[in-house]
Amino acid sequence: MPSSSRETLPPTPIVIPNPRGSQIFKHPSVCRNFAYPPDSHRGRGVCGCRPTPRMAEAHQAVAFQFTVTPDGVDFRLSREALKHIYLSGINSWKKRLIRIKICVRLLSSRRPMLYSFQTSLPKLPVPSVPATIQRYLESVRPLLDDEEYYRMETLAKEFQNKTAPRLQKYLVLKSWWATNYVSDWWEEYIYLRGRSPLMVNSNYYVMDLVLVRNTEVQAARLGNAVHAMIMYRRKLDREEIKPVMALGIVPMCSYQMERMFNTTRIPGKETDVLQHLSDSRHVAVYHKGRFFKVWLYEGSRLLKPRDLEMQFQKILDDPSPPQPGEERLAALTAGGRVEWAQARQAFFSSGKNKASLEAIERAAFFVALDEESHCYNPDDEASLSLYGKALLHGNCHNRWFDKSFTLISFKNGLLGLNTEHAWADAPIIGHLWEFVLGTDTFHLGYTDTGHCLGQPNPMLIPPQRLQWDIPEQCQVAIERSYQVAKALADDVELYCFQFLPFGKGLIKKCRTSPDAFVQIALQLAHFRDKGKFCLTYEASMTRMFREGRTETVRSCTSESTAFVQAMMEGSHKKADLRDLFRKAAEKHQNMYRLAMTGSGIDRHLFCLYVVSKYLGISSPFLAEVLSEPWRLSTSQIPQSQIRMFDPDQYPNHLGAGGGFGPVADDGYGVSYMIAGENTIFFHISSKFSSSETNAQRFGNHIRQALLDIADLFQVPKADS
């Protein structure tokens, strides 16, 4: 490719102090979790990752330090390092004791429980440096001309031979004593040290069933959903949820589920922390600028759906106005993290403000009762995009973005989720959501008038209104955060649509992986949209390993670009194009398998970078790698993990998946769900402020690319 096809913005230097007292200038990074790889040019994260603007002191995350002296190798442990080793050991032994209890239970029961296989899961292996370098060079070859590639190859080989061996030794040491050599650094540096807003930049959304409606009574739908969520939490606590199995036979790690409920991200000036409680007996609710506390239990009994409906209806009927400063209070969670940390310390450290904030932060989860209605009308395509925007950011002050998730209830009974990302990845919340939607529809049900079944208990303690004393200085801080969040939200262009011509039924007849089919279509669509290729991020999971999270699949390959170029030329026979497509699909599937089995590229390079920052080693290769922008960030959402109902019997019971904000200022974020045999949902985000992107235009290119590839195989769509 000519050099003009690869636009790399200059890295933003960020100063990181290192243990030797000198200054290290770090470059922006491009690694990011799930569907959220960071854009490299905005000064975020480790090397600039979104949502982390700076990495702080990476050496705090590495326990071992050694130097070579005339007497040999001198192993030294700083107090901070010793503390990390001690705490790591304590946490490891706590986990082992818990697993021992589980094993005892397992021996007395034939049925596998949630954590039954945890101790038998392998550790994530550290790939060899030569293998990672080789795969990296292969991934960037289609994006570079010969001169650029030679320069990068020279940097890579120099890094491999001179710098990498030392960094790799530290990484191997960490892999010996840590459960997972990536996950703790990933959580801390990619998420918790992020200082930019969580809203749009990090949190993501999940949609309801969009083709069926069980009830239009807002309080009733919410009553069933909240009851189902606490049922799920009870099963989680009792480990009664079946372990998730890949392909039905390979157990996957379940540790991310542990912090699903009773969890809040607490802001700090330098880094946030995740506060997780063992239990919580209430939810926090927002409605028309007021905050309420709603108890979930009467004594030891979980409230029935009809009781919860009554409680939520009382809030909806409450005519009291917001207190001064209360209406936009949640905007603090939507703005910058430093500003929120400062306001929290200054105005919420004592008195009624502290008590009310604790009621929110210690809640099982957060509930937003919205005054507007949303739904998906197939005759009004814009309706799905408006619904997505409402879930992604709302009005910037009616979601508590710090909570593990916010359950959003619209006036017409439609639901959705806004989920914080640090504690877990999307399949985890998807597991809960499937249970809730299936339980709501097929187990709890409604009366003929749309209310929850049963009779309410009028003697229950009513919802408690939270009290605030918000001074003018705090109201100024709230308004500042609101303006930051509003500017961010207003710049998001979101285009969501349902692709109706076919789904995985037809794709399987093409004898290819549905995910590879869509990914190659995205490459074709992107080239038609921008006239060039770009570094592409697809999220895969590494949950077959203990405490595994995600890895990156670099979907723009030499094989996929060869196919796209042949399609653009328009002079090739269909048989030749099919052959090129199959080669691209096979390459994609192989890369996905490598990522899932611990042989990916980006997490290894990310961890080598962290070690280099600790040691004060400057690597031109790592600086270059971690400044490459991901202008196409993609993720597939699984349709079904737990099969709460038969999709063949209920084909219209489809969720539309979910989405996330744009990753790069001049790029696209694409989430998609292959929803059954005959349809695919897409969620495309970009920025209005970019002249290079247009989400709806890109969506139209995706539609056409899917149709054009299907046409190569001449499979009748009517038979799909």
Side-chain angles (χ1 to χ4, degrees):
M1 294 296 297
S3 60
S4 61
S5 69
R6 181 172 179 264
E7 298 178 357
T8 304
L9 298 177
T12 304
I14 302 175
V15 178
I16 303 178
N18 83 39
R20 300 174 181 175
S22 60
Q23 301 286 332
I24 303 170
F25 284 87
K26 103 179 141 74
H27 294 272
S29 165
V30 290
C31 48
R32 191 174 172 200
N33 195 21
F34 174 50
Y36 310 86
D39 56 309
S40 66
H41 56 280
R42 288 155 67 180
R44 298 169 177 165
V46 174
C47 283
C49 296
R50 190 179 78 176
T52 313
R54 65 184 182 86
M55 181 177 157
E57 295 184 2
H59 68 274
Q60 294 182 1
V62 183
F64 289 95
Q65 177 183 355
F66 64 86
T67 56
V68 178
T69 69
D71 299 323
V73 178
D74 173 29
F75 286 87
R76 294 187 288 115
L77 292 173
S78 67
R79 290 184 179 180
E80 187 67 23
L82 192 61
K83 175 184 174 183
H84 278 280
I85 294 174
Y86 171 75
L87 293 176
S88 177
I90 292 296
N91 289 333
S92 295
W93 278 107
K94 284 181 179 179
K95 289 180 181 179
R96 288 175 186 173
L97 290 173
I98 291 171
R99 303 305 174 225
I100 289 171
K101 291 181 181 178
I102 292 171
C103 289
V104 171
R105 292 188 198 175
L106 184 61
L107 291 173
S108 62
S109 173
R110 295 180 180 178
R111 183 180 178 183
M113 293 181 291
L114 179 61
Y115 302 114
S116 298
F117 302 104
Q118 285 296 104
T119 54
S120 63
L121 293 176
K123 284 189 174 185
L124 181 69
V126 181
S128 72
V129 171
T132 296
I133 296 299
Q134 178 185 351
R135 285 192 283 267
Y136 168 77
L137 290 173
E138 186 179 322
S139 74
V140 298
R141 186 65 188 97
L143 302 171
L144 306 176
D145 61 23
D146 291 343
E147 183 179 344
E148 289 176 319
Y149 181 77
Y150 176 76
R151 184 180 62 82
M152 180 55 75
E153 185 180 43
T154 302
L155 287 175
K157 296 302 181 184
E158 182 182 9
F159 171 75
Q160 177 180 324
N161 295 328
K162 294 182 179 179
T163 309
R166 186 182 179 197
L167 305 182
Q168 181 79 347
K169 288 178 182 177
Y170 280 83
L171 213 51
V172 171
L173 281 173
K174 186 191 176 188
S175 74
W176 290 348
W177 61 262
T179 306
N180 187 295
Y181 82 93
V182 177
S183 294
D184 59 336
W185 286 349
W186 191 255
E187 179 178 301
E188 180 176 1
Y189 296 127
I190 302 303
Y191 292 114
L192 296 180
R193 287 189 179 270
R195 304 296 81 198
S196 55
L198 301 183
M199 187 198 78
V200 173
N201 289 332
S202 181
N203 287 25
Y204 56 94
Y205 66 86
V206 185
M207 287 185 170
D208 199 350
L209 301 176
V210 292
L211 301 180
V212 295
R213 299 275 285 280
N214 295 325
T215 180
E216 294 193 2
V217 180
Q218 184 177 15
R221 185 79 198 288
L222 192 56
N224 264 10
V226 171
H227 182 83
M229 284 181 165
I230 303 305
M231 285 176 59
Y232 183 95
R233 185 180 70 170
R234 185 164 57 190
K235 287 178 176 290
L236 195 63
D237 292 341
R238 296 174 179 177
E239 300 163 23
E240 294 173 351
I241 296 172
K242 293 181 181 179
V244 179
M245 313 287 278
L247 304 175
I249 54 174
V250 181
M252 294 198 291
C253 182
S254 301
Y255 98 99
Q256 294 182 59
M257 291 182 169
E258 296 175 0
R259 297 181 294 183
M260 185 179 295
F261 296 94
N262 328 323
T263 299
T264 301
R265 180 166 168 167
I266 305 296
K269 293 180 181 179
E270 293 188 356
T271 183
D272 295 352
V273 295
L274 287 175
Q275 172 186 280
H276 173 68
L277 307 176
S278 60
D279 192 21
S280 176
R281 297 174 63 83
H282 73 276
V283 292
V285 181
Y286 179 91
H287 176 247
K288 294 182 71 171
R290 297 93 40 86
F291 290 87
F292 297 83
K293 180 178 182 178
V294 176
W295 294 103
L296 298 170
Y297 293 84
E298 183 187 23
S300 60
R301 182 184 67 86
L302 172 62
L303 294 188
K304 295 178 180 179
R306 189 66 182 88
D307 292 329
L308 290 166
E309 177 188 348
M310 178 187 69
Q311 299 290 65
F312 293 129
Q313 191 61 51
K314 287 180 179 178
I315 293 175
L316 292 171
D317 296 338
D318 188 328
S320 61
Q323 299 161 75
E326 182 182 19
E327 182 176 10
R328 293 183 175 178
L329 174 62
L332 289 171
T333 71
R337 304 305 291 172
V338 173
E339 293 78 6
W340 174 205
Q342 291 170 339
R344 188 177 187 275
Q345 182 177 7
F347 306 113
F348 298 90
S349 296
S350 61
K352 61 176 67 174
N353 287 353
K354 180 181 180 181
S356 293
L357 181 61
E358 285 184 349
I360 295 172
E361 293 180 340
R362 299 175 73 86
F365 51 90
F366 193 79
V367 176
L369 282 165
D370 280 17
E371 282 294 290
E372 60 185 21
S373 294
H374 281 283
C375 68
Y376 171 44
N377 179 1
D379 296 326
D380 178 15
E381 188 178 73
S383 62
L384 195 63
S385 302
L386 291 172
Y387 175 31
K389 286 270 285 183
L391 295 175
L392 180 63
H393 53 67
N395 63 14
C396 303
H397 61 77
N398 58 354
R399 316 278 182 257
W400 199 269
F401 294 100
D402 289 356
K403 289 299 292 183
S404 54
F405 63 89
T406 293
L407 173 60
I408 300 160
S409 169
F410 297 103
K411 197 167 186 177
N412 59 347
L414 198 70
L415 300 175
L417 298 175
N418 183 286
T419 307
E420 201 278 320
H421 211 319
W423 64 274
D425 304 311
I428 304 301
I429 200 71
H431 196 280
L432 163 69
W433 198 229
E434 282 183 51
F435 178 88
V436 169
L437 297 182
T439 302
D440 168 45
T441 302
F442 298 103
H443 297 281
L444 297 178
Y446 299 89
T447 66
D448 293 339
T449 56
H451 293 279
C452 296
L453 300 175
Q455 295 296 321
N457 178 5
M459 304 305 293
L460 290 175
I461 299 173
Q464 175 188 341
R465 180 77 187 275
L466 299 185
Q467 300 299 312
W468 309 93
D469 182 12
I470 301 176
E472 288 188 11
Q473 303 99 304
C474 183
Q475 293 182 38
V476 170
I478 292 171
E479 184 62 23
R480 269 199 304 265
S481 290
Y482 171 72
Q483 293 301 330
V484 168
K486 188 175 186 302
L488 187 60
D490 289 347
D491 197 25
V492 174
E493 180 184 10
L494 186 67
Y495 179 55
C496 307
F497 68 93
Q498 182 182 10
F499 180 77
L500 290 167
F502 59 83
K504 68 179 179 182
L506 180 140
I507 296 174
K508 286 181 178 179
K509 292 181 180 181
C510 299
R511 297 183 179 180
T512 188
S513 154
D515 183 66
F517 191 100
V518 174
Q519 284 290 327
I520 296 168
L522 291 176
Q523 291 300 315
L524 178 57
H526 187 273
F527 194 89
R528 287 172 172 173
D529 184 77
K530 287 194 172 184
K532 58 190 175 186
F533 297 108
C534 72
L535 199 59
T536 304
Y537 182 112
E538 181 188 6
S540 73
M541 62 88 180
T542 55
R543 288 175 59 204
M544 289 189 291
F545 301 97
R546 288 180 68 181
E547 298 188 11
R549 290 197 63 159
T550 62
E551 178 57 275
T552 305
V553 178
R554 293 176 167 233
S555 300
C556 183
T557 64
S558 295
E559 291 79 1
S560 65
T561 57
F563 168 75
V564 169
Q565 287 167 335
M567 286 287 287
M568 296 301 295
E569 289 169 6
S571 59
H572 293 261
K573 296 179 180 179
K574 283 190 175 181
D576 295 333
L577 292 171
R578 284 196 299 268
D579 184 57
L580 288 170
F581 175 83
R582 288 194 174 105
K583 288 179 180 177
E586 288 171 5
K587 176 66 174 181
H588 181 82
Q589 287 179 265
N590 184 55
M591 290 176 58
Y592 206 100
R593 282 191 290 266
L594 287 171
M596 287 182 63
T597 54
S599 297
I601 300 168
D602 291 275
R603 300 302 179 269
H604 186 202
L605 294 178
F606 160 76
C607 289
L608 289 172
Y609 176 81
V610 174
V611 176
S612 75
K613 293 295 98 178
Y614 168 63
L615 296 176
I617 296 174
S618 177
S619 166
F621 170 72
L622 286 177
E624 181 108 4
V625 169
L626 299 175
S627 65
E628 295 167 340
W630 304 93
R631 292 196 171 93
L632 182 56
S633 169
T634 71
S635 176
Q636 181 188 176
I637 298 176
Q639 181 201 1
S640 176
Q641 298 180 74
I642 55 178
R643 198 177 174 86
M644 291 289 292
F645 59 90
D646 184 353
D648 295 328
Q649 187 177 354
Y650 300 97
N652 286 331
H653 285 66
L654 292 176
F660 50 91
V663 170
D665 287 336
D666 56 353
Y668 292 110
V670 180
S671 175
Y672 55 95
M673 187 177 78
I674 303 170
E677 299 297 308
N678 303 308
T679 193
I680 308 173
F681 286 97
F682 285 90
H683 305 251
I684 305 167
S685 62
S686 62
K687 292 204 168 187
F688 286 115
S689 57
S690 172
S691 60
E692 296 186 32
T693 57
N694 182 293
Q696 184 167 355
R697 182 186 70 207
F698 188 43
N700 292 333
H701 283 307
I702 292 172
R703 278 192 179 96
Q704 192 59 51
L706 291 167
L707 293 171
D708 290 347
I709 294 174
D711 185 61
L712 297 178
F713 294 88
Q714 298 177 328
V715 178
K717 299 179 182 62
D719 296 336
S720 64

